[in-house]
Amino acid sequence: MHAGSPSLHGANPKLRLAARRTPEDLDALVLNLLAASNRPISAYDISDRSIVAGQSIVPNQVYRTLARLIDQGLVHRVESLSAYMLKQQSFDGCLICDQCQAVQILSDPDLFARLQDCAHRFGFAVDRTVVEMHGCCRDCATHDHPNREHEAKRVFSDSTPPPNIIGV
Ligand SMILES: [Zn+2]
């Protein structure tokens, strides 16, 4: 019996198969792994999960694939977590619970406009704006949550669009 070897020359047919995948195959794999996650995950998480799923993607491939998917507007990078999530709606910012790691998307086009106005008043030309607020979500604030995974899934999978959470 052979010991498991990480070598590409080993007998693992899945790794040999991986070399023949097209960028479109990798896009679909990464999108599926992100869709299966109930929270933003890192590139290394994606690589680890791809191995568990039997379709190994090495981190360099994951980064290249993520860059492509971000360019296409399909994936969003949560900067303060160095993690990635599907971009399923207009993304103007997010609320990140530091207790259960649930992420709530903020959809408020006025938010960027107001921040741009603030910057312009200082003669500042904005290249990039990141609005990520860390804190404690309503569920964690109001419940003793024995199962944080469950809480995160519940919050993150709530598909009702969050209409202008930040009021005018
Ligand atoms: Zn929470």
Side-chain angles (χ1 to χ4, degrees):
M1 175 176 162
H2 296 284
S5 164
S7 165
L8 283 173
H9 304 295
N12 188 337
K14 287 169 184 165
L15 290 180
R16 287 203 305 274
L17 192 65
R20 292 197 295 270
R21 288 177 302 193
T22 65
E24 290 74 23
D25 294 335
L26 293 172
D27 289 355
L29 276 171
V30 168
L31 288 172
N32 283 338
L33 291 169
L34 289 173
S37 175
N38 59 20
R39 64 188 65 189
I41 52 177
S42 72
Y44 280 88
D45 287 336
I46 292 169
S47 181
D48 289 346
R49 291 177 191 207
S50 72
I51 294 168
V52 172
Q55 310 209 49
S56 174
I57 314 174
V58 297
N60 276 349
Q61 281 180 308
V62 173
Y63 280 116
R64 282 197 297 271
T65 304
L66 286 168
R68 195 162 53 239
L69 294 171
I70 289 170
D71 280 348
Q72 294 169 19
L74 299 174
V75 166
H76 179 79
R77 175 180 155 90
V78 182
E79 298 290 341
S80 60
L81 298 178
S82 298
Y84 302 84
M85 60 189 289
L86 288 184
K87 190 172 178 181
Q88 294 174 313
Q89 61 191 87
S90 146
F91 189 110
D92 298 306
C94 64
L95 308 173
I96 301 164
C97 178
D98 289 324
Q99 295 191 41
C100 70
Q101 283 78 53
V103 174
Q104 179 68 60
I105 308 305
L106 301 177
S107 296
D108 182 352
D110 291 341
L111 180 60
F112 270 17
R114 282 180 292 185
L115 290 171
Q116 292 260 3
D117 283 347
C118 290
H120 289 161
R121 270 183 247 135
F122 291 95
F124 188 89
V126 178
D127 283 334
R128 200 165 70 100
T129 305
V130 177
V131 179
E132 298 178 357
M133 289 177 270
H134 284 256
C136 183
C137 74
R138 181 167 41 201
D139 284 346
C140 288
T142 55
H143 297 109
D144 241 359
H145 48 87
N147 185 342
R148 289 180 175 177
E149 286 279 336
H150 171 75
E151 289 293 326
K153 186 167 191 170
R154 201 197 65 69
V155 172
F156 191 65
S157 64
D158 183 0
S159 59
T160 53
N164 295 341
I165 284 180
I166 294 183
V168 178

